Amino acid sequence: ALPIRYLFCDEVDKYPSSAAGEGDPISLAEGRLTEFEHNYQEILTCSPTVKGHSRIEKAFLESDQREFFVPCPKCGHHQILKWSQVKIDTSLPSIKRQAESAHYICEACQARWTDVDRWNAVERGEYRAQAPFNGVAGFRISSLCSLKKTIAKLAGKYLRALGDIERLKAFWNTEMAETWVEQGEAPDWERLIERREDYAAATVPKGGLFLTCGVDVQPDRIEAEIVAWGRGYESWSIDYRIIEGRATAEDLKARLEELLGAVYPSETGADMPIIRMFVDSGDSTNEVYQAVRSLPYSRCVAIKGVQRSNIPVGQPSAQDVTVGGKKIKGGLKIRTVWVDFFKGGLYADLKKRPPTEEEKKQGWVYPPGYCHFPKGPNYGDEHFKQLCAEQLVTRQNKKGRTVREWEQTRPRNEALDCRVYARAAAWDVGMDRFQERHWRTLEAKLQPNAATSAPEPEPIPQQSAPVPEAPKQPQRPTATILPRRPTIRLL
């Protein structure tokens, strides 16, 4: 191979782990610099990707880690611009208005900055090393320092990504120049116990606008959770039931009918039924099919969990066929549920903190996706241990590729499964695609003088559902790095 003096590697996190089986491609390229050991330059550029698996993150941590500090236009305090200092009023009725409310707050004096304030601060900013210089210079900067982007534009992109892990990951990597921390590590179940609230179990708080149910079928019982959903994917656990009995088709049908017939009072004064129930068919498959077959498909759906998919909830698939293999018109249809997608989103939501009492007085609201739980016997230690019963682990598959997979950490996890199915049912109803008019329709049906029928919003075509996209790469790299002699690596 010919020796080289200058090595420039762009988008390094997209490189394969091995080049034609010969090893790491960057290491192979660096081998061609040896003839110019004391007079070469190396540059690596990329947006970071997943924490612990990002080449550019590793390179940046080996550098002097230069961060861009800007002075507050009000108090002069120098700080790194962070997304945690962007405040958004999520109580407003539309993403557009929420984004327009976004503004930056100084971490020292709490002064509110305009975009002009922020741009002026950036023009007076400077890089400051966060680690000793060891021959490698590294630079990182986020879109918050862009002189061409407004906070409202960034907030709109962030708000539209909520509920879609892949879009949120792309926002975090490309706009914030931050590695994405996989949200699969279960939150502390004891912390969830401590944050339970005083709303009455089996009663829907005012913010809950429709109910879904997730059902896990076991050979000797069924377990089910009823969940209320509101704006911003906020949720309230309403009821958790364990119904003992053998899973025969006849008994299972009776228990599912009992669940579907349940009506829960709302704080608004209305009675709320379950508008969609997802029933897992992984265990006692034939019995589940027989039980669900005679129930209204619009409200009760047999589902099958899958680890990988290109859509959170799959299109209906006919299971009833003739001996010749032809589908029976009007026969049972099941849906697939991408369980890994919903588990990741759930664990991310469970880690969100509620506003403090002081913050509530200042007008703060619960973050999007926040999960509320009631106090009571159905939501005790065992429930939250089951809810936190899985975590993401890193291992190599048969092809030698590094993959992230869910691993169960304790024998029972029914509470987690039920919650995932209830969330998938909400996705199937259309919650992730609701516009403000859908929420208003639901609110109107919960008024005291409204009809008591199931408050199902106007349908949204399945094909309009957002499919998780692969993280988009930045137009320009968002940070930089260097080794030994002038070797530069960009983040």
Side-chain angles (χ1 to χ4, degrees), residues 278 297 301-304 306 309-319 327 332-338 427-428 433 460-467:
F278 271 15
Y297 178 75
V301 181
I303 59 102
K304 177 182 179 181
V306 293
S309 178
N310 62 357
I311 190 170
V313 178
Q315 296 285 354
S317 173
Q319 295 300 302
K327 297 175 183 177
L332 177 70
K333 293 181 175 63
I334 71 165
R335 313 288 294 274
T336 57
V337 170
W338 184 5
W427 191 97
D428 193 45
R433 305 168 309 272
I460 298 178
Q462 179 71 23
Q463 61 268 26
S464 67
V467 177

PDB file of all heavy atoms in Angstrom, residues 278 297 301-304 306 309-319 327 332-338 427-428 433 460-467:
ATOM      1  N   PHE A 278     -55.711  -5.282  22.950  1.00  0.00           N
ATOM      2  CA  PHE A 278     -54.795  -6.176  22.258  1.00  0.00           C
ATOM      3  C   PHE A 278     -54.569  -7.404  23.135  1.00  0.00           C
ATOM      4  O   PHE A 278     -54.182  -7.278  24.307  1.00  0.00           O
ATOM      5  CB  PHE A 278     -53.465  -5.477  21.990  1.00  0.00           C
ATOM      6  CG  PHE A 278     -53.416  -4.729  20.670  1.00  0.00           C
ATOM      7  CD1 PHE A 278     -54.571  -4.445  19.961  1.00  0.00           C
ATOM      8  CD2 PHE A 278     -52.205  -4.300  20.147  1.00  0.00           C
ATOM      9  CE1 PHE A 278     -54.526  -3.765  18.755  1.00  0.00           C
ATOM     10  CE2 PHE A 278     -52.135  -3.615  18.944  1.00  0.00           C
ATOM     11  CZ  PHE A 278     -53.303  -3.351  18.244  1.00  0.00           C
ATOM     12  N   TYR A 297     -64.121  -7.002  16.161  1.00  0.00           N
ATOM     13  CA  TYR A 297     -62.725  -6.789  15.768  1.00  0.00           C
ATOM     14  C   TYR A 297     -62.273  -5.353  16.009  1.00  0.00           C
ATOM     15  O   TYR A 297     -61.093  -5.092  16.270  1.00  0.00           O
ATOM     16  CB  TYR A 297     -62.540  -7.156  14.291  1.00  0.00           C
ATOM     17  CG  TYR A 297     -61.134  -6.915  13.788  1.00  0.00           C
ATOM     18  CD1 TYR A 297     -60.109  -7.777  14.146  1.00  0.00           C
ATOM     19  CD2 TYR A 297     -60.837  -5.820  12.978  1.00  0.00           C
ATOM     20  CE1 TYR A 297     -58.812  -7.568  13.713  1.00  0.00           C
ATOM     21  CE2 TYR A 297     -59.539  -5.595  12.538  1.00  0.00           C
ATOM     22  CZ  TYR A 297     -58.529  -6.480  12.902  1.00  0.00           C
ATOM     23  OH  TYR A 297     -57.245  -6.258  12.477  1.00  0.00           O
ATOM     24  N   VAL A 301     -58.471  -7.358  19.476  1.00  0.00           N
ATOM     25  CA  VAL A 301     -57.588  -7.813  18.401  1.00  0.00           C
ATOM     26  C   VAL A 301     -56.579  -8.812  18.955  1.00  0.00           C
ATOM     27  O   VAL A 301     -55.931  -8.550  19.975  1.00  0.00           O
ATOM     28  CB  VAL A 301     -56.828  -6.624  17.772  1.00  0.00           C
ATOM     29  CG1 VAL A 301     -55.932  -7.092  16.631  1.00  0.00           C
ATOM     30  CG2 VAL A 301     -57.803  -5.554  17.285  1.00  0.00           C
ATOM     31  N   ALA A 302     -56.455  -9.946  18.291  1.00  0.00           N
ATOM     32  CA  ALA A 302     -55.402 -10.906  18.637  1.00  0.00           C
ATOM     33  C   ALA A 302     -54.100 -10.428  18.011  1.00  0.00           C
ATOM     34  O   ALA A 302     -54.068 -10.034  16.836  1.00  0.00           O
ATOM     35  CB  ALA A 302     -55.760 -12.296  18.120  1.00  0.00           C
ATOM     36  N   ILE A 303     -53.032 -10.458  18.797  1.00  0.00           N
ATOM     37  CA  ILE A 303     -51.752  -9.950  18.300  1.00  0.00           C
ATOM     38  C   ILE A 303     -50.642 -10.974  18.541  1.00  0.00           C
ATOM     39  O   ILE A 303     -50.756 -11.874  19.368  1.00  0.00           O
ATOM     40  CB  ILE A 303     -51.388  -8.585  18.939  1.00  0.00           C
ATOM     41  CG1 ILE A 303     -51.311  -8.698  20.460  1.00  0.00           C
ATOM     42  CG2 ILE A 303     -52.388  -7.525  18.547  1.00  0.00           C
ATOM     43  CD1 ILE A 303     -49.931  -8.770  21.016  1.00  0.00           C
ATOM     44  N   LYS A 304     -49.571 -10.781  17.796  1.00  0.00           N
ATOM     45  CA  LYS A 304     -48.383 -11.613  17.949  1.00  0.00           C
ATOM     46  C   LYS A 304     -47.173 -10.702  18.028  1.00  0.00           C
ATOM     47  O   LYS A 304     -46.959  -9.863  17.160  1.00  0.00           O
ATOM     48  CB  LYS A 304     -48.248 -12.573  16.755  1.00  0.00           C
ATOM     49  CG  LYS A 304     -46.998 -13.440  16.794  1.00  0.00           C
ATOM     50  CD  LYS A 304     -46.915 -14.313  15.550  1.00  0.00           C
ATOM     51  CE  LYS A 304     -45.649 -15.171  15.575  1.00  0.00           C
ATOM     52  NZ  LYS A 304     -45.546 -16.004  14.348  1.00  0.00           N
ATOM     53  N   VAL A 306     -43.341  -9.504  17.765  1.00  0.00           N
ATOM     54  CA  VAL A 306     -42.148  -9.800  16.963  1.00  0.00           C
ATOM     55  C   VAL A 306     -41.014  -8.901  17.436  1.00  0.00           C
ATOM     56  O   VAL A 306     -41.245  -7.792  17.927  1.00  0.00           O
ATOM     57  CB  VAL A 306     -42.409  -9.585  15.454  1.00  0.00           C
ATOM     58  CG1 VAL A 306     -43.412 -10.596  14.931  1.00  0.00           C
ATOM     59  CG2 VAL A 306     -42.880  -8.157  15.162  1.00  0.00           C
ATOM     60  N   SER A 309     -39.230  -5.384  13.039  1.00  0.00           N
ATOM     61  CA  SER A 309     -40.246  -5.074  12.036  1.00  0.00           C
ATOM     62  C   SER A 309     -39.908  -3.721  11.445  1.00  0.00           C
ATOM     63  O   SER A 309     -38.985  -3.036  11.903  1.00  0.00           O
ATOM     64  CB  SER A 309     -41.634  -5.048  12.692  1.00  0.00           C
ATOM     65  OG  SER A 309     -42.633  -4.709  11.748  1.00  0.00           O
ATOM     66  N   ASN A 310     -40.629  -3.325  10.412  1.00  0.00           N
ATOM     67  CA  ASN A 310     -40.445  -1.984   9.856  1.00  0.00           C
ATOM     68  C   ASN A 310     -41.620  -1.078  10.174  1.00  0.00           C
ATOM     69  O   ASN A 310     -41.709   0.034   9.664  1.00  0.00           O
ATOM     70  CB  ASN A 310     -40.228  -2.060   8.335  1.00  0.00           C
ATOM     71  CG  ASN A 310     -41.424  -2.661   7.619  1.00  0.00           C
ATOM     72  OD1 ASN A 310     -42.394  -3.082   8.242  1.00  0.00           O
ATOM     73  ND2 ASN A 310     -41.349  -2.701   6.305  1.00  0.00           N
ATOM     74  N   ILE A 311     -42.531  -1.559  11.029  1.00  0.00           N
ATOM     75  CA  ILE A 311     -43.675  -0.752  11.445  1.00  0.00           C
ATOM     76  C   ILE A 311     -44.105  -1.215  12.825  1.00  0.00           C
ATOM     77  O   ILE A 311     -44.083  -2.416  13.121  1.00  0.00           O
ATOM     78  CB  ILE A 311     -44.832  -0.869  10.423  1.00  0.00           C
ATOM     79  CG1 ILE A 311     -45.925   0.157  10.722  1.00  0.00           C
ATOM     80  CG2 ILE A 311     -45.376  -2.277  10.371  1.00  0.00           C
ATOM     81  CD1 ILE A 311     -46.974   0.261   9.617  1.00  0.00           C
ATOM     82  N   PRO A 312     -44.442  -0.302  13.736  1.00  0.00           N
ATOM     83  CA  PRO A 312     -44.774  -0.696  15.110  1.00  0.00           C
ATOM     84  C   PRO A 312     -45.904  -1.714  15.231  1.00  0.00           C
ATOM     85  O   PRO A 312     -45.806  -2.659  16.002  1.00  0.00           O
ATOM     86  CB  PRO A 312     -45.144   0.637  15.767  1.00  0.00           C
ATOM     87  CG  PRO A 312     -44.337   1.643  15.019  1.00  0.00           C
ATOM     88  CD  PRO A 312     -44.339   1.164  13.597  1.00  0.00           C
ATOM     89  N   VAL A 313     -47.004  -1.505  14.478  1.00  0.00           N
ATOM     90  CA  VAL A 313     -48.112  -2.463  14.473  1.00  0.00           C
ATOM     91  C   VAL A 313     -48.391  -2.833  13.022  1.00  0.00           C
ATOM     92  O   VAL A 313     -48.656  -1.963  12.193  1.00  0.00           O
ATOM     93  CB  VAL A 313     -49.376  -1.882  15.134  1.00  0.00           C
ATOM     94  CG1 VAL A 313     -50.526  -2.890  15.054  1.00  0.00           C
ATOM     95  CG2 VAL A 313     -49.104  -1.512  16.590  1.00  0.00           C
ATOM     96  N   GLY A 314     -48.314  -4.140  12.726  1.00  0.00           N
ATOM     97  CA  GLY A 314     -48.440  -4.584  11.341  1.00  0.00           C
ATOM     98  C   GLY A 314     -49.868  -4.547  10.831  1.00  0.00           C
ATOM     99  O   GLY A 314     -50.834  -4.424  11.592  1.00  0.00           O
ATOM    100  N   GLN A 315     -49.990  -4.677   9.529  1.00  0.00           N
ATOM    101  CA  GLN A 315     -51.301  -4.733   8.894  1.00  0.00           C
ATOM    102  C   GLN A 315     -52.009  -6.034   9.288  1.00  0.00           C
ATOM    103  O   GLN A 315     -51.361  -7.035   9.595  1.00  0.00           O
ATOM    104  CB  GLN A 315     -51.149  -4.682   7.375  1.00  0.00           C
ATOM    105  CG  GLN A 315     -50.552  -3.377   6.855  1.00  0.00           C
ATOM    106  CD  GLN A 315     -51.558  -2.238   6.886  1.00  0.00           C
ATOM    107  OE1 GLN A 315     -52.720  -2.442   7.184  1.00  0.00           O
ATOM    108  NE2 GLN A 315     -51.113  -1.038   6.559  1.00  0.00           N
ATOM    109  N   PRO A 316     -53.356  -6.057   9.292  1.00  0.00           N
ATOM    110  CA  PRO A 316     -54.078  -7.287   9.641  1.00  0.00           C
ATOM    111  C   PRO A 316     -53.706  -8.436   8.719  1.00  0.00           C
ATOM    112  O   PRO A 316     -53.592  -8.265   7.505  1.00  0.00           O
ATOM    113  CB  PRO A 316     -55.555  -6.890   9.470  1.00  0.00           C
ATOM    114  CG  PRO A 316     -55.565  -5.398   9.570  1.00  0.00           C
ATOM    115  CD  PRO A 316     -54.258  -4.937   8.998  1.00  0.00           C
ATOM    116  N   SER A 317     -53.496  -9.604   9.303  1.00  0.00           N
ATOM    117  CA  SER A 317     -53.152 -10.790   8.532  1.00  0.00           C
ATOM    118  C   SER A 317     -54.172 -11.881   8.818  1.00  0.00           C
ATOM    119  O   SER A 317     -54.393 -12.251   9.977  1.00  0.00           O
ATOM    120  CB  SER A 317     -51.747 -11.274   8.912  1.00  0.00           C
ATOM    121  OG  SER A 317     -51.449 -12.507   8.298  1.00  0.00           O
ATOM    122  N   ALA A 318     -54.822 -12.415   7.757  1.00  0.00           N
ATOM    123  CA  ALA A 318     -55.862 -13.427   7.930  1.00  0.00           C
ATOM    124  C   ALA A 318     -55.265 -14.740   8.429  1.00  0.00           C
ATOM    125  O   ALA A 318     -54.277 -15.219   7.898  1.00  0.00           O
ATOM    126  CB  ALA A 318     -56.599 -13.643   6.620  1.00  0.00           C
ATOM    127  N   GLN A 319     -55.891 -15.310   9.455  1.00  0.00           N
ATOM    128  CA  GLN A 319     -55.450 -16.592   9.994  1.00  0.00           C
ATOM    129  C   GLN A 319     -56.410 -17.721   9.656  1.00  0.00           C
ATOM    130  O   GLN A 319     -56.060 -18.890   9.763  1.00  0.00           O
ATOM    131  CB  GLN A 319     -55.307 -16.484  11.516  1.00  0.00           C
ATOM    132  CG  GLN A 319     -54.220 -15.523  11.956  1.00  0.00           C
ATOM    133  CD  GLN A 319     -52.850 -15.929  11.431  1.00  0.00           C
ATOM    134  OE1 GLN A 319     -52.369 -17.024  11.696  1.00  0.00           O
ATOM    135  NE2 GLN A 319     -52.231 -15.044  10.665  1.00  0.00           N
ATOM    136  N   LYS A 327     -58.004 -17.863   2.023  1.00  0.00           N
ATOM    137  CA  LYS A 327     -58.446 -17.092   3.181  1.00  0.00           C
ATOM    138  C   LYS A 327     -59.967 -17.042   3.235  1.00  0.00           C
ATOM    139  O   LYS A 327     -60.631 -16.874   2.217  1.00  0.00           O
ATOM    140  CB  LYS A 327     -57.879 -15.671   3.126  1.00  0.00           C
ATOM    141  CG  LYS A 327     -56.356 -15.629   3.201  1.00  0.00           C
ATOM    142  CD  LYS A 327     -55.816 -14.221   3.026  1.00  0.00           C
ATOM    143  CE  LYS A 327     -54.294 -14.220   3.040  1.00  0.00           C
ATOM    144  NZ  LYS A 327     -53.739 -12.860   2.807  1.00  0.00           N
ATOM    145  N   LEU A 332     -60.808 -14.589  11.121  1.00  0.00           N
ATOM    146  CA  LEU A 332     -59.988 -13.897  12.113  1.00  0.00           C
ATOM    147  C   LEU A 332     -58.749 -13.279  11.474  1.00  0.00           C
ATOM    148  O   LEU A 332     -58.082 -13.906  10.650  1.00  0.00           O
ATOM    149  CB  LEU A 332     -59.551 -14.889  13.205  1.00  0.00           C
ATOM    150  CG  LEU A 332     -58.628 -14.301  14.270  1.00  0.00           C
ATOM    151  CD1 LEU A 332     -59.382 -13.326  15.157  1.00  0.00           C
ATOM    152  CD2 LEU A 332     -58.006 -15.415  15.112  1.00  0.00           C
ATOM    153  N   LYS A 333     -58.443 -12.060  11.880  1.00  0.00           N
ATOM    154  CA  LYS A 333     -57.229 -11.381  11.439  1.00  0.00           C
ATOM    155  C   LYS A 333     -56.422 -11.006  12.678  1.00  0.00           C
ATOM    156  O   LYS A 333     -56.972 -10.555  13.672  1.00  0.00           O
ATOM    157  CB  LYS A 333     -57.559 -10.127  10.626  1.00  0.00           C
ATOM    158  CG  LYS A 333     -58.233 -10.407   9.295  1.00  0.00           C
ATOM    159  CD  LYS A 333     -58.509  -9.108   8.557  1.00  0.00           C
ATOM    160  CE  LYS A 333     -59.067  -9.379   7.161  1.00  0.00           C
ATOM    161  NZ  LYS A 333     -60.372 -10.075   7.213  1.00  0.00           N
ATOM    162  N   ILE A 334     -55.112 -11.205  12.616  1.00  0.00           N
ATOM    163  CA  ILE A 334     -54.262 -10.819  13.732  1.00  0.00           C
ATOM    164  C   ILE A 334     -53.318  -9.710  13.284  1.00  0.00           C
ATOM    165  O   ILE A 334     -53.115  -9.477  12.090  1.00  0.00           O
ATOM    166  CB  ILE A 334     -53.461 -12.015  14.300  1.00  0.00           C
ATOM    167  CG1 ILE A 334     -52.368 -12.447  13.309  1.00  0.00           C
ATOM    168  CG2 ILE A 334     -54.369 -13.179  14.645  1.00  0.00           C
ATOM    169  CD1 ILE A 334     -51.336 -13.351  13.935  1.00  0.00           C
ATOM    170  N   ARG A 335     -52.720  -9.039  14.272  1.00  0.00           N
ATOM    171  CA  ARG A 335     -51.754  -7.968  13.999  1.00  0.00           C
ATOM    172  C   ARG A 335     -50.423  -8.338  14.649  1.00  0.00           C
ATOM    173  O   ARG A 335     -50.395  -8.981  15.709  1.00  0.00           O
ATOM    174  CB  ARG A 335     -52.232  -6.629  14.585  1.00  0.00           C
ATOM    175  CG  ARG A 335     -53.682  -6.268  14.303  1.00  0.00           C
ATOM    176  CD  ARG A 335     -53.888  -5.888  12.859  1.00  0.00           C
ATOM    177  NE  ARG A 335     -53.214  -4.669  12.493  1.00  0.00           N
ATOM    178  CZ  ARG A 335     -53.726  -3.439  12.657  1.00  0.00           C
ATOM    179  NH1 ARG A 335     -54.929  -3.300  13.199  1.00  0.00           N
ATOM    180  NH2 ARG A 335     -53.056  -2.371  12.278  1.00  0.00           N
ATOM    181  N   THR A 336     -49.324  -7.954  14.054  1.00  0.00           N
ATOM    182  CA  THR A 336     -48.022  -8.113  14.697  1.00  0.00           C
ATOM    183  C   THR A 336     -47.677  -6.836  15.457  1.00  0.00           C
ATOM    184  O   THR A 336     -48.043  -5.731  15.040  1.00  0.00           O
ATOM    185  CB  THR A 336     -46.915  -8.397  13.671  1.00  0.00           C
ATOM    186  OG1 THR A 336     -46.879  -7.328  12.710  1.00  0.00           O
ATOM    187  CG2 THR A 336     -47.156  -9.723  12.974  1.00  0.00           C
ATOM    188  N   VAL A 337     -46.985  -6.992  16.581  1.00  0.00           N
ATOM    189  CA  VAL A 337     -46.561  -5.852  17.398  1.00  0.00           C
ATOM    190  C   VAL A 337     -45.044  -5.894  17.549  1.00  0.00           C
ATOM    191  O   VAL A 337     -44.483  -6.913  17.981  1.00  0.00           O
ATOM    192  CB  VAL A 337     -47.225  -5.886  18.785  1.00  0.00           C
ATOM    193  CG1 VAL A 337     -46.604  -4.836  19.711  1.00  0.00           C
ATOM    194  CG2 VAL A 337     -48.723  -5.647  18.669  1.00  0.00           C
ATOM    195  N   TRP A 338     -44.386  -4.810  17.168  1.00  0.00           N
ATOM    196  CA  TRP A 338     -42.933  -4.688  17.293  1.00  0.00           C
ATOM    197  C   TRP A 338     -42.622  -4.372  18.761  1.00  0.00           C
ATOM    198  O   TRP A 338     -42.534  -3.232  19.163  1.00  0.00           O
ATOM    199  CB  TRP A 338     -42.447  -3.591  16.364  1.00  0.00           C
ATOM    200  CG  TRP A 338     -40.969  -3.398  16.304  1.00  0.00           C
ATOM    201  CD1 TRP A 338     -39.995  -4.145  16.906  1.00  0.00           C
ATOM    202  CD2 TRP A 338     -40.281  -2.354  15.596  1.00  0.00           C
ATOM    203  NE1 TRP A 338     -38.758  -3.653  16.619  1.00  0.00           N
ATOM    204  CE2 TRP A 338     -38.900  -2.553  15.817  1.00  0.00           C
ATOM    205  CE3 TRP A 338     -40.704  -1.292  14.809  1.00  0.00           C
ATOM    206  CZ2 TRP A 338     -37.939  -1.703  15.265  1.00  0.00           C
ATOM    207  CZ3 TRP A 338     -39.749  -0.456  14.270  1.00  0.00           C
ATOM    208  CH2 TRP A 338     -38.389  -0.662  14.490  1.00  0.00           C
ATOM    209  N   TRP A 427     -51.303   3.117  19.792  1.00  0.00           N
ATOM    210  CA  TRP A 427     -50.708   3.436  18.484  1.00  0.00           C
ATOM    211  C   TRP A 427     -51.671   3.039  17.371  1.00  0.00           C
ATOM    212  O   TRP A 427     -51.866   3.771  16.398  1.00  0.00           O
ATOM    213  CB  TRP A 427     -49.379   2.704  18.329  1.00  0.00           C
ATOM    214  CG  TRP A 427     -48.560   3.154  17.156  1.00  0.00           C
ATOM    215  CD1 TRP A 427     -47.540   4.053  17.156  1.00  0.00           C
ATOM    216  CD2 TRP A 427     -48.693   2.741  15.786  1.00  0.00           C
ATOM    217  NE1 TRP A 427     -47.033   4.231  15.896  1.00  0.00           N
ATOM    218  CE2 TRP A 427     -47.726   3.429  15.023  1.00  0.00           C
ATOM    219  CE3 TRP A 427     -49.540   1.851  15.132  1.00  0.00           C
ATOM    220  CZ2 TRP A 427     -47.575   3.264  13.665  1.00  0.00           C
ATOM    221  CZ3 TRP A 427     -49.402   1.685  13.752  1.00  0.00           C
ATOM    222  CH2 TRP A 427     -48.429   2.385  13.032  1.00  0.00           C
ATOM    223  N   ASP A 428     -52.303   1.859  17.515  1.00  0.00           N
ATOM    224  CA  ASP A 428     -53.210   1.366  16.481  1.00  0.00           C
ATOM    225  C   ASP A 428     -54.451   2.243  16.368  1.00  0.00           C
ATOM    226  O   ASP A 428     -54.983   2.442  15.269  1.00  0.00           O
ATOM    227  CB  ASP A 428     -53.611  -0.075  16.815  1.00  0.00           C
ATOM    228  CG  ASP A 428     -54.290  -0.769  15.649  1.00  0.00           C
ATOM    229  OD1 ASP A 428     -53.788  -0.650  14.519  1.00  0.00           O
ATOM    230  OD2 ASP A 428     -55.323  -1.429  15.872  1.00  0.00           O
ATOM    231  N   ARG A 433     -50.565   9.821  15.657  1.00  0.00           N
ATOM    232  CA  ARG A 433     -50.823  10.667  14.494  1.00  0.00           C
ATOM    233  C   ARG A 433     -51.946  11.663  14.745  1.00  0.00           C
ATOM    234  O   ARG A 433     -52.393  12.336  13.841  1.00  0.00           O
ATOM    235  CB  ARG A 433     -51.142   9.763  13.291  1.00  0.00           C
ATOM    236  CG  ARG A 433     -50.027   8.763  13.085  1.00  0.00           C
ATOM    237  CD  ARG A 433     -50.323   7.646  12.144  1.00  0.00           C
ATOM    238  NE  ARG A 433     -51.509   6.870  12.286  1.00  0.00           N
ATOM    239  CZ  ARG A 433     -51.616   5.771  13.051  1.00  0.00           C
ATOM    240  NH1 ARG A 433     -50.631   5.402  13.845  1.00  0.00           N
ATOM    241  NH2 ARG A 433     -52.711   5.058  13.074  1.00  0.00           N
ATOM    242  N   ILE A 460     -57.834   7.295  11.315  1.00  0.00           N
ATOM    243  CA  ILE A 460     -56.719   7.824  10.544  1.00  0.00           C
ATOM    244  C   ILE A 460     -56.212   6.693   9.669  1.00  0.00           C
ATOM    245  O   ILE A 460     -55.965   5.600  10.155  1.00  0.00           O
ATOM    246  CB  ILE A 460     -55.595   8.311  11.472  1.00  0.00           C
ATOM    247  CG1 ILE A 460     -56.125   9.458  12.338  1.00  0.00           C
ATOM    248  CG2 ILE A 460     -54.379   8.747  10.686  1.00  0.00           C
ATOM    249  CD1 ILE A 460     -55.118   9.983  13.318  1.00  0.00           C
ATOM    250  N   PRO A 461     -56.059   6.886   8.362  1.00  0.00           N
ATOM    251  CA  PRO A 461     -55.629   5.794   7.488  1.00  0.00           C
ATOM    252  C   PRO A 461     -54.338   5.160   7.973  1.00  0.00           C
ATOM    253  O   PRO A 461     -53.405   5.860   8.361  1.00  0.00           O
ATOM    254  CB  PRO A 461     -55.433   6.496   6.126  1.00  0.00           C
ATOM    255  CG  PRO A 461     -56.288   7.721   6.212  1.00  0.00           C
ATOM    256  CD  PRO A 461     -56.266   8.141   7.652  1.00  0.00           C
ATOM    257  N   GLN A 462     -54.290   3.828   7.934  1.00  0.00           N
ATOM    258  CA  GLN A 462     -53.113   3.100   8.409  1.00  0.00           C
ATOM    259  C   GLN A 462     -51.854   3.502   7.654  1.00  0.00           C
ATOM    260  O   GLN A 462     -50.781   3.591   8.216  1.00  0.00           O
ATOM    261  CB  GLN A 462     -53.354   1.594   8.248  1.00  0.00           C
ATOM    262  CG  GLN A 462     -52.188   0.718   8.680  1.00  0.00           C
ATOM    263  CD  GLN A 462     -52.016   0.718  10.167  1.00  0.00           C
ATOM    264  OE1 GLN A 462     -52.955   1.002  10.885  1.00  0.00           O
ATOM    265  NE2 GLN A 462     -50.821   0.427  10.634  1.00  0.00           N
ATOM    266  N   GLN A 463     -52.004   3.762   6.343  1.00  0.00           N
ATOM    267  CA  GLN A 463     -50.823   4.058   5.564  1.00  0.00           C
ATOM    268  C   GLN A 463     -50.178   5.378   5.939  1.00  0.00           C
ATOM    269  O   GLN A 463     -49.045   5.640   5.574  1.00  0.00           O
ATOM    270  CB  GLN A 463     -51.127   4.052   4.060  1.00  0.00           C
ATOM    271  CG  GLN A 463     -52.171   5.090   3.634  1.00  0.00           C
ATOM    272  CD  GLN A 463     -53.566   4.507   3.645  1.00  0.00           C
ATOM    273  OE1 GLN A 463     -53.825   3.566   4.379  1.00  0.00           O
ATOM    274  NE2 GLN A 463     -54.460   5.046   2.841  1.00  0.00           N
ATOM    275  N   SER A 464     -50.880   6.220   6.711  1.00  0.00           N
ATOM    276  CA  SER A 464     -50.280   7.490   7.107  1.00  0.00           C
ATOM    277  C   SER A 464     -49.450   7.359   8.361  1.00  0.00           C
ATOM    278  O   SER A 464     -48.860   8.317   8.808  1.00  0.00           O
ATOM    279  CB  SER A 464     -51.379   8.529   7.348  1.00  0.00           C
ATOM    280  OG  SER A 464     -52.154   8.166   8.484  1.00  0.00           O
ATOM    281  N   ALA A 465     -49.401   6.160   8.941  1.00  0.00           N
ATOM    282  CA  ALA A 465     -48.646   5.957  10.168  1.00  0.00           C
ATOM    283  C   ALA A 465     -47.163   6.197   9.929  1.00  0.00           C
ATOM    284  O   ALA A 465     -46.619   5.807   8.909  1.00  0.00           O
ATOM    285  CB  ALA A 465     -48.840   4.536  10.674  1.00  0.00           C
ATOM    286  N   PRO A 466     -46.491   6.844  10.892  1.00  0.00           N
ATOM    287  CA  PRO A 466     -45.061   7.078  10.718  1.00  0.00           C
ATOM    288  C   PRO A 466     -44.278   5.789  10.923  1.00  0.00           C
ATOM    289  O   PRO A 466     -44.441   5.121  11.906  1.00  0.00           O
ATOM    290  CB  PRO A 466     -44.742   8.094  11.826  1.00  0.00           C
ATOM    291  CG  PRO A 466     -45.769   7.830  12.874  1.00  0.00           C
ATOM    292  CD  PRO A 466     -47.007   7.391  12.138  1.00  0.00           C
ATOM    293  N   VAL A 467     -43.446   5.446   9.956  1.00  0.00           N
ATOM    294  CA  VAL A 467     -42.584   4.273  10.090  1.00  0.00           C
ATOM    295  C   VAL A 467     -41.233   4.753  10.580  1.00  0.00           C
ATOM    296  O   VAL A 467     -40.676   5.712  10.047  1.00  0.00           O
ATOM    297  CB  VAL A 467     -42.416   3.567   8.728  1.00  0.00           C
ATOM    298  CG1 VAL A 467     -41.467   2.388   8.844  1.00  0.00           C
ATOM    299  CG2 VAL A 467     -43.765   3.125   8.217  1.00  0.00           C
TER     300      VAL A 467
END
